[in-house]
Amino acid sequence: MGCCFGKRRKEAKGGAQGGAGQDPPAADEEAKPPQYSWDQRAKVDPKDYTFSGLKDETVGRLPGKVAGQQFVIQDCENCNIYIFDHSATITIDDCTSCRIFLGPVKGSVFFRDCKDCKCVVACQQFRTRDCRKLEVFLCCATQPIIESSTGMKFGCFQYYYPELALQFKDAGLSIFNNTWSNIHDFTPVSGENNWSLLPEDATVQDYVPLPTSEELKVIRISTDTMKSIIPITWGGRQKSSEESCLAVFFAGDYTTANARKLIDEMTGKGFLLVQTKEVSMKAEDAQRVFQQSASDFIPLLEKGPVVALEFNGDGAVEGCRSIINDVFSGTKVFVSENKASASQDVDSFYNFADMQMGM
């Protein structure tokens, strides 16, 4: 075996030196530089990720056409602009009277020097500077910030198309983390309010129409609030009742489906979904939030983040507990024990969650 192996190596060596039956390598092959994987990557042309200087046009990008790249929108007037894909960051500069849809953005969305625009935006961070009269249906994982901006109005993100759920995952965004109404005004003016909330019955299609171009009409869009990828929350508006209820689902194969089912059941009975949150918890967090019930739930925390829902309305606690017992009898769910403890449950959980997320 060893001699045979050695002979084959010797023959190979001889062939490499120009032995019988072997042609010497061509000169251009000898000079050819090595190829590396990073040399094989497709070159990115910034023009493919920019809309600039447009007027009275409808433009957009289909799913898969942005694929996590940065995007720039600038100097556009009276345009309908649609980004039906996830991206890294998006800046929008010097745009006037535009209607804009931005699919999930992993990082920041930054509007600068824009006015009279209507937008639908999903992102990790949202900021405006020197803007006037923007109306935004927003999903934002962190606290939205406005700076030197006036006449700003915000509503909860509401949109659906088949690729959107996966785009949220690709952008690293949770559909349950949305602080759309918790606006921080970096430059407040005494006696004035630079921002407000859109009417509770505001619908996206009245602000950002569906695309009409042949290229973009292939997207199967729905603006029906019942189909929205993001649960529609009440946010910072005045609550209808002094009674709220906290329900917490623990990580598992059906966590998202179970949370959405409870939302449908509760809102179908007239209760408000105030806010939602998806966050990881430790044992000490559970002790503080779940108190006497903590020992029942601590082993479940290792499986992944929890999803929490706050409902509001007279009878919310009793209604939620009834649905949990009837519909989720085989699922471990934390739900407020009674009306007296419910407000403390809500405050304890969301104070913890906000600290976890740096807000």
Side-chain angles (χ1 to χ4, degrees), residues 290-318:
F290 304 134
Q291 299 185 17
Q292 294 91 342
S293 305
S295 59
D296 295 335
F297 302 112
I298 287 176
L300 303 176
L301 301 179
E302 297 178 357
K303 296 181 179 180
V306 303
V307 172
L309 314 171
E310 179 192 351
F311 297 100
N312 181 264
D314 293 340
V317 173
E318 181 181 350

Side-chain angles (χ1 to χ4, degrees), residues 201-248:
D201 58 352
T203 58
V204 164
Q205 202 165 337
D206 292 337
Y207 293 77
V208 180
L210 300 185
T212 56
S213 68
E214 291 302 318
E215 177 192 15
L216 301 176
K217 282 168 63 176
V218 300
I219 305 294
R220 293 186 287 124
I221 300 167
S222 174
T223 57
D224 182 349
T225 57
M226 296 300 293
K227 293 183 179 180
S228 177
I229 289 293
I230 300 298
I232 309 302
T233 54
W234 194 247
R237 297 187 182 100
Q238 181 69 40
K239 297 177 183 179
S240 64
S241 169
E242 294 183 357
E243 181 177 348
S244 284
C245 177
L246 178 69
V248 180

Side-chain angles (χ1 to χ4, degrees), residues 53-160:
L54 305 178
K55 184 175 182 180
D56 302 329
E57 293 191 41
T58 294
V59 294
R61 289 288 183 268
L62 294 171
K65 295 300 184 181
V66 180
Q69 296 290 335
Q70 298 181 13
F71 210 96
V72 174
I73 301 170
Q74 59 188 15
D75 299 311
C76 294
E77 181 180 352
N78 194 36
C79 290
N80 294 332
I81 299 171
Y82 306 88
I83 307 296
F84 291 123
D85 205 0
H86 69 102
S87 55
T89 63
I90 297 184
T91 56
I92 306 94
D93 294 323
D94 299 291
C95 290
T96 302
S97 302
C98 290
R99 281 72 53 193
I100 301 172
F101 173 88
L102 303 181
V105 180
K106 186 173 185 177
S108 64
V109 170
F110 199 175
F111 284 83
R112 296 176 293 199
D113 299 290
C114 296
K115 62 180 181 180
D116 298 315
C117 292
K118 305 176 190 297
C119 314
V120 182
V121 177
C123 59
Q124 175 74 18
Q125 300 175 335
F126 177 90
R127 187 169 182 178
T128 71
R129 188 174 68 204
D130 298 317
C131 292
R132 181 164 58 87
K133 292 185 179 179
L134 301 190
E135 296 173 317
V136 186
F137 289 85
L138 180 63
C139 174
C140 187
T142 57
Q143 186 175 29
I145 296 174
I146 64 172
E147 179 182 356
S148 302
S149 300
T150 61
M152 312 292 288
K153 295 184 179 181
F154 295 91
C156 183
F157 182 102
Q158 44 187 269
Y159 220 81
Y160 169 85

Side-chain angles (χ1 to χ4, degrees), residues 164-185:
L164 188 54
L166 182 58
Q167 291 172 3
F168 265 89
K169 290 183 179 179
D170 288 339
L173 301 178
S174 168
I175 64 172
F176 296 108
N177 289 337
N178 186 8
T179 62
W180 66 271
S181 65
N182 185 22
I183 312 299
H184 175 66
D185 188 349

